[in-house]
Amino acid sequence: MARFDKTICVLGLGYIGLPTASLLATRGYKVLGVDVDNRVVGAVQAGNLHFHEPDLDILVASAVGSGQLTASYKPAPADIFIIAVPTPFAEGHVPDMSHVEAATRALAPHLRPGNLVILESTSPVGATERIAGWIAQERPDLGPDITEGGDRIFLVHSPERVLPGKVLQELVINDRIVGGIDTASAEVGAAFYRTFTTGTVFTTKARTAELSKLAENAFRDVNIAYANELSLICDRLGVNVWELIQLANRHPRVNILQPGPGVGGHCIAVDPWFIVHSAPEQSRLIQTAREVNDGKPRWVIEQVKYAADRFKDPVVACLGLAFKANIDDLRESPALAITEALARGTAATILAVEPYVDDCPPTLKGLPNVEFVGVDEALRRADIVLLLVDHDRFRLIEREQLARKVLIDTRGLFR
Ligand code: SAJ
């Protein structure tokens, strides 16, 4: 394997930072992973994972075992700095750049001329320029323009585009966009990504790269909203939405996505708001799509309440709590939110089922009418079966296990 003599400091050891750090370490780079959470640092130092992602445990163990990946809660001098910290939104859907700012200010004292700084976190347009400003504040010795002179540094935004559940494959094979704060930065950044990706690496301006990532996720959100809206229309008109979509998709230029209980995760339900925030007048469709998708859980809750009214002491099995199939990620999960709302808003017994999680999630723990049980027990006891996540495990459910039960199938698994 090629050995690279460069050192890399990855700030943020989460869903993107840790796979990236481990991959780079196994590709021959010397990598320091940095996180502000001591538990995360401790887990990585021990070669362990603090979340589930297929095959990542092997990669982390091998990267740490070989000594190429170490972890700390403080950055150190390196040739390349990669910022992979969360960019949530604050009250009123305003992008919260505080983690990016903190990471930038933490790495700034260690910068040396010629260093490459990469922002991978999904960010609002203008974020890379703000990073340049924060570095200039922290390091006046680099001059007012950090991209000028012999002591210049290189700064790019290269948005991560990997799909949870397929992170390790997509980190390598996906095409990559590298947006530079200037042309030289884009070229230096692209040369770095070409050392470990097999996809095509495209260079552009930082602002274009920022908006491109947001546009990709908003595109998916808008398309899912279309499917979710169709599901409401079909319900109103007595049409099976799954059959409808299957048939409509036989058209050579139609590809309707799948309805569900709402859109979850930390990306698609968040990133479109960054566009809305920066251009509210122009992004009416994007905003409406967000509202349609955010409204879907309420509709599902109403369906369950309506069905529950038919029973004296209803027992509802909520199948799946993760935000999508075959992962353990509960962040922004509509399934979890629906389960919690049913537990709090009805007198029904709620049987929460999530095969990818060992323990009852904290938001459900302590609710008197919630039991965290296995799928077979839930199916045995339930009057109403609410299918919330299309995990492969649920595909094994036999039809007869659903006999004489009310089925509310938000994913079309039993279409
Ligand atoms: N969903 C539906 N119907 C569909 C597809 C998805 O309801 O037909 C729901 C899922 O159940 C889930 C949500 O949408 O709740 C999002 O899931 P997803 O698989 O569409 O996307 P994520 O959030 O796992 O990953 C996305 C990806 N972006 C795009 O596909 C454009 C990924 O490539 C990005 O890297 C990731 O966001 C990110 O980090 O931004």
Side-chain angles (χ1 to χ4, degrees):
M1 184 199 305
R3 287 269 150 195
F4 300 98
D5 57 359
K6 290 199 162 54
T7 55
I8 303 181
C9 179
V10 178
L11 293 101
L13 292 177
Y15 290 77
I16 301 303
L18 184 56
T20 305
S22 322
L23 177 74
L24 292 168
T26 55
R27 294 298 173 102
Y29 287 103
K30 194 95 186 147
V31 183
L32 173 69
V34 177
D35 204 286
V36 291
D37 185 336
N38 273 332
R39 283 166 308 176
V40 171
V41 173
V44 176
Q45 277 168 340
N48 292 331
L49 276 194
H50 55 285
F51 58 92
H52 172 79
E53 174 65 36
D55 302 329
L56 184 58
D57 50 350
I58 303 164
L59 194 72
V60 171
S62 132
V64 173
S66 67
Q68 291 294 110
L69 173 63
T70 50
S72 167
Y73 62 96
K74 272 189 174 160
D79 298 304
I80 300 166
F81 292 86
I82 300 178
I83 301 172
V85 296
T87 44
F89 57 64
E91 195 63 27
H93 300 125
V94 179
D96 173 1
M97 291 296 288
S98 60
H99 303 291
V100 174
E101 181 175 355
T104 306
R105 295 197 191 276
L107 71 83
H110 304 287
L111 280 175
R112 294 175 304 205
N115 277 176
L116 168 64
V117 177
I118 300 170
L119 172 67
E120 283 212 5
S121 316
T122 305
S123 298
V125 175
T128 314
E129 290 156 16
R130 290 180 74 191
I131 289 181
W134 292 324
I135 293 174
Q137 274 175 10
E138 293 292 325
R139 293 290 301 274
D141 56 305
L142 294 172
D145 187 344
I146 58 164
T147 59
E148 269 184 4
D151 58 354
R152 66 158 295 162
I153 63 152
F154 300 91
L155 173 60
V156 300
H157 176 52
S158 183
E160 62 81 12
R161 297 159 117 184
V162 290
L163 194 72
K166 284 192 177 172
V167 167
L168 295 185
Q169 291 108 294
E170 293 207 354
L171 264 181
V172 176
I173 63 171
N174 282 5
D175 289 348
R176 199 89 206 195
I177 299 177
V178 179
I181 197 92
D182 65 348
T183 313
S185 291
E187 290 307 329
V188 170
F192 166 62
Y193 281 101
R194 289 188 182 114
T195 66
F196 69 97
T197 56
T198 57
T200 308
V201 181
F202 296 91
T203 55
T204 182
K205 293 185 175 125
R207 291 175 82 84
T208 311
E210 288 157 353
L211 188 55
S212 159
K213 168 62 196 245
L214 301 177
E216 289 158 22
N217 279 356
F219 171 86
R220 194 149 169 89
D221 198 43
V222 168
N223 281 278
I224 298 169
Y226 181 68
N228 276 331
E229 187 161 290
L230 270 183
S231 73
L232 306 190
I233 295 168
C234 283
D235 182 68
R236 183 69 184 260
L237 301 181
V239 172
N240 179 322
V241 69
W242 316 106
E243 186 192 2
L244 174 93
I245 291 175
Q246 200 174 22
L247 294 175
N249 282 349
R250 301 304 297 179
H251 184 288
R253 284 173 297 283
V254 172
N255 185 13
I256 303 172
L257 295 181
Q258 299 298 302
V263 167
H266 39 102
C267 309
I268 302 218
V270 174
D271 302 348
W273 288 118
F274 291 4
I275 302 181
V276 175
H277 180 253
S278 50
E281 300 290 314
Q282 292 73 26
S283 49
R284 288 181 303 147
L285 177 65
I286 295 172
Q287 187 165 347
T288 303
R290 272 289 66 244
E291 286 160 4
V292 168
N293 286 334
D294 276 354
K296 193 69 193 290
R298 274 195 301 280
W299 184 82
V300 174
I301 291 164
E302 287 315 311
Q303 300 262 304
V304 179
K305 284 186 172 167
Y306 180 75
D309 280 345
R310 288 171 38 193
F311 297 90
K312 188 160 164 286
D313 296 307
V315 178
V316 183
C318 295
L319 301 189
L321 301 173
F323 87 82
K324 66 176 192 175
N326 303 325
I327 59 168
D328 69 345
D329 195 338
L330 304 180
R331 288 178 298 169
E332 314 285 332
S333 170
L336 182 59
I338 289 167
T339 305
E340 185 184 348
L342 288 173
R344 291 185 187 278
T346 71
T349 299
I350 305 295
L351 305 177
V353 179
E354 180 43 73
Y356 281 85
V357 170
D358 294 332
D359 273 335
C360 187
T363 50
L364 301 180
K365 235 180 206 156
L367 295 176
N369 52 342
V370 175
E371 293 177 48
F372 189 66
V373 301
V375 59
D376 289 324
E377 178 181 343
L379 289 174
R380 229 177 15 251
R381 291 173 53 196
D383 302 307
I384 299 167
V385 175
L386 174 61
L387 191 287
L388 290 167
V389 186
D390 44 346
H391 287 317
D392 287 345
R393 169 63 187 89
F394 300 149
R395 293 179 193 275
L396 304 175
I397 293 171
E398 309 270 351
R399 286 271 163 186
E400 64 215 39
Q401 291 182 281
L402 299 170
R404 292 177 303 283
K405 299 182 190 297
V406 177
L407 173 66
I408 301 174
D409 180 2
T410 70
R411 296 283 185 175
L413 213 62
F414 304 101
R415 56 185 76 173

